[in-house]
Amino acid sequence: MRLILSRFAALFSPLHKWLWPCVLLILGYVAWRAFVLSLTWDEAYTFFEFIRHPSWLPHDLNYMASNNHLLNTWLEKCSVGLLGQSELAQRLPNVAGCAVFLYAAGAIATKIFSHNFERLAVFLVLALNPYMLDFFSLARGYGISIGLFMFAAWQMALYVEKPGLLRATGIQLLLALATLANLTMILVMIAATAVLWLHQILQNDKKRIRAFILLVVPIIFMICIWPYVMRLNSAGAFYFGQEALSPYTSFFSIIDASLYGRSYAAWLAGPLTVVFILLPLAGLFLLFRNRRNRDSKWHGLLSFALLFMLIATGMILQHILLGSHYLLGRTALVFLPAGMLLLITAVALTGKRIRGVIISAMAIVTLGHFALSANFRSVYEGREQADVKAMMKFLREKNIPVERNFLANIISTGLPFDQQVNYYRMRYGLMQFGHVPRLEEVPACSWYYLDSAALKEFPAAEKLRYFPFSNTVLFRADKNLPRLRVLKEVWQDFENEWPFPQLITDTIFFGKKGTYAGGEIPYSVNIIFNQLDTLPAFPEAASLSCRLRTQTRNTSALLVFQFIKENGVQEEFMHLSELAEKPGQWSITGWTRPVPAGTKRILVYIWNKDRKRVYMDNVILRLLIAE
């Protein structure tokens, strides 16, 4: 028992006891933000597209497939499956990534510095970047990848002091996992392999042969991941995002974001970026001048300087040779911990008196900036999305009656909010609200959640609530607008005879094909209404109500609204996974869409590529017109 306890205590020995309260406080800050922050668009998109998808590695990729950070998706699937669909459950893997990051940062500070105050100050400098902390509170792969990177960096600091093939392989495995969490980390894995390989080659002749063993892990990993990368590239999703114009722009983006939009960001971001770029060159210059110094800290500085420069070089070569984007913003996030590691290692090599002054100044500035930037309302890249959760809670408290379901109260939003609104519709059981269109008007139905500037377009709007933090507003276009009445109704109960020839369907559908009249058709449900010419007026909206049932939320099935016109087809989709009810229970959905001008036929069907059964029953299709 004593041996077990001693080994357990040894796990925590790399951190000085002064650092543990700071670790717990910062981890608590990150965890609480993960609990209270409104879900962002990317998180909600990942939740619907990948977490609830039955496949752990989807085969159909589109230009948004880069949103699927594989390791994060896999861990999030487990977390959501065990703990439910709350924001904290989705973000828990990244909170765990923060714990790994803080532990490794504390271990590095404890190893490099001997004075307790210096250890504490350096740990705070490494850990309190507000922009980097954002990603530990979000359900994305960035936080996990940075946590694994910092742990690998700690192991690299141990490796340069006492090289070992097992430790080097462990570093590569950690970075391979980091790459699964964020594919841009592939540059880091290759750069780290080059540093480890070079360090091994410079050992005595007997150990040089081992250097080639270091190539095994990255080669195997590249062979495994390459087909997926090529599929991403074919789908236009490989490092998808805004392109940086130059490496300077890439570094500037993360320095500017690290300043978190404070008033001093405008004049300070440029000079800091220049310093950031010159930092590895200064480190190499210091090493050259002190090349005969055998202190392991010098070897550590060499390793971190080479790592930083090789990552940057890899980014540039990748852009030149493959035409890929320069890293920008969160995709360039790894440069922050890499640069800070290089900086503190260089500081550790200065004189004791100068070192104390520099470290103290860095710690004071870091703490002051964090105090100004810390908040429990939003993340830097999602400030405008901060109040979606509060807005949906407000609608829940208003208790909009379910009886108006056939009018389908629609929440019309802009692109930054639509995925989150769907998530909170499901989370809060607000199924009396229809699926979210984007700025499309349905008379007498629409609720709008937009930037407050949009109110100028609606002079008669009924403003319900203004959210000053995000400068957004919830309103109705005109409280005096006429209500909608039913112009035509078609319904079908599949458990009985088919009373309407316009309805052609199969009650149950699974697999890649549905069956009807002895033949195969590509859709499970085909509700056709093509008698629009016989109506007294052209419908302004179409409303669908039906009962849907699946055995699991992990289905990629879509409920599709299709409007066929002479000059083309317009479609809208709803994931069955968005339904609020639990799997296995009947689900009721009311979904209203504007009928585009020139529509000749309306189809509603389920599109399902899985082999999980989907039931559809009691379908009601109503055509609506303003009274």
Side-chain angles (χ1 to χ4, degrees), residues 2 159 237 275 393 441 466 616 624:
R2 182 177 299 177
Y159 173 83
V275 173
K393 282 185 176 180
E441 296 184 38
Y466 172 65
M616 187 175 188
L624 308 173

Side-chain angles (χ1 to χ4, degrees), residues 275 277-288 301 305 309 342 346:
V275 173
I277 294 173
L278 295 177
L279 188 60
L281 298 178
L284 290 177
F285 175 74
L286 285 174
L287 286 168
F288 178 78
L301 179 59
M309 297 188 72
L342 177 56

